[in-house]
Amino acid sequence: ELSSDSEAKAFVERHHYSGTYPAARFRFGLTRGSDLVGVAVFSHPCNDAVLTSVFGGQAIESVELGRFVLLDDVPGNGETWFLARCFDVLRKRELRGVVAFSDPHPRHDVHGRVVMPGHIGVIYQAHNGHYLGRSTRRTLHLLPDGSVFSARAASKVRRREVGWQYAVEQLIAAGAQPPMSTKDLRPWLQEALGALRRLQHPGNHRYAWGLHRAVKLASTLPFPKRGL
C-alpha cells in the first residue's frame, strides 16, 4: 500500500487516459524491482448511493475503484493478480465491497485522434465481478483533447465552490472568453458549455465485488461483449 498520494498521483496522471486523479481513500502500487509499474486507487464517489444501493450499510464502508492502470509491458495476468492483492487488504479492513465502472465509448480529440478506445471491463469479468448493467445515460461535454469537462466541475463553477477557478481555466483554455465578472458565473458557464462538443453517452458498465460475508450479490445479467 502506498503511504501518500504523490507517487500514485504522478503515475496516474502520466499513464491513465483521463490524466486525472480522484480523491483517494486507499492507494496501492505494483512494483517490479524498485520501479512502480501499476497503481490502483480506491476512492469515494460523488453520490453515496453508488455504494449503498449495492452493498447496503454506510457509504464509508465501501469504495469505488477510481483508477486502475498498469504499464503496457506488465503481463496480462498481472492485472487480476494485482487486483486480488488489493482486495485482500481491503477485506482485512472489513470493507463491505468494491464497485467499478468501465467506459465502453471511445473518445476522440478535435483532430479525430483516438485518446481512449473504450473498454468493457474484461479485467473485472476475469476477476469474477458481478455485472450490474449500465449506469445512467448522460450527455458529456468534451474538451478539445477529448477529456470530459465533468458535471462536478460545472457545479463548482455555478456554486463557486473550491476548485472553481481551475474549472474556469479549463474552459478558457478550450476557447471560451474569460468571464467579465465572477459574481455570477452561470450565464458564462452556459455559453462556454454550449461551445464544447457533446457526446450522448449510453452509460458505463458497472461491476461489483462483495468483500464482507454480510454482503450477498446476485446478478443474472450476462457480461457485455466487445462492441456493445
Side-chain angles (χ1 to χ4, degrees):
E1 186 172 358
L2 298 173
S3 59
S4 69
D5 272 335
S6 57
E7 189 176 14
K9 182 178 181 180
F11 187 92
V12 169
E13 290 180 342
R14 186 181 311 117
H15 298 291
H16 194 268
Y17 68 86
S18 70
T20 61
Y21 186 78
R25 285 190 59 198
F26 306 97
R27 62 203 70 75
F28 300 94
L30 177 67
T31 58
R32 184 168 52 210
S34 60
D35 297 327
L36 186 65
V37 297
V39 165
V41 181
F42 295 85
S43 56
H44 192 88
C46 295
N47 187 342
D48 288 354
V50 170
L51 301 175
T52 57
S53 63
V54 178
F55 306 113
Q58 300 181 29
I60 196 68
E61 297 175 301
S62 303
V63 287
E64 176 183 352
L65 178 56
R67 295 289 183 272
F68 188 70
V69 54
L70 281 68
L71 296 185
D72 291 340
D73 63 355
V74 175
N77 63 347
E79 297 169 325
T80 51
W81 184 90
F82 180 35
L83 196 58
R85 302 292 80 71
C86 295
F87 281 16
D88 286 344
V89 177
L90 297 178
R91 193 174 286 109
K92 291 175 182 177
R93 302 284 179 88
E94 297 191 345
L95 292 184
R96 295 178 68 86
V98 176
V99 66
F101 295 87
S102 65
D103 188 343
H105 204 296
R107 299 275 198 288
H108 302 80
D109 66 14
V110 292
H111 304 293
R113 294 186 291 254
V114 176
V115 296
M116 198 280 283
H119 67 106
I120 61 171
V122 172
I123 300 166
Y124 307 150
Q125 295 179 16
H127 197 56
N128 299 317
H130 292 263
Y131 180 58
L132 305 180
R134 286 184 184 264
S135 60
T136 305
R137 292 175 178 269
R138 62 203 190 281
T139 300
L140 303 181
H141 293 90
L142 301 183
L143 296 169
D145 64 359
S147 61
V148 176
F149 186 79
S150 69
R152 180 70 184 115
S155 178
K156 288 182 178 181
V157 175
R158 291 189 190 96
R159 301 179 182 182
R160 289 170 52 89
E161 295 176 345
V162 174
W164 69 267
Q165 296 98 328
Y166 176 73
V168 167
E169 290 171 1
Q170 280 186 299
L171 292 173
I172 292 174
Q177 293 296 318
M180 298 295 292
S181 171
T182 59
K183 290 183 178 180
D184 183 0
L185 288 166
R186 287 173 294 181
W188 176 86
L189 176 65
Q190 184 175 358
E191 182 177 354
L193 291 178
L196 295 179
R197 292 177 297 147
R198 293 190 177 191
L199 172 64
Q200 300 301 321
H201 196 286
N204 292 332
H205 295 300
R206 297 186 303 151
Y207 296 87
W209 298 263
L211 301 182
H212 194 279
R213 61 182 178 275
V215 175
K216 306 298 182 184
L217 297 177
S219 174
T220 58
L221 296 175
F223 286 144
K225 305 300 181 183
R226 293 190 185 279
L228 298 177

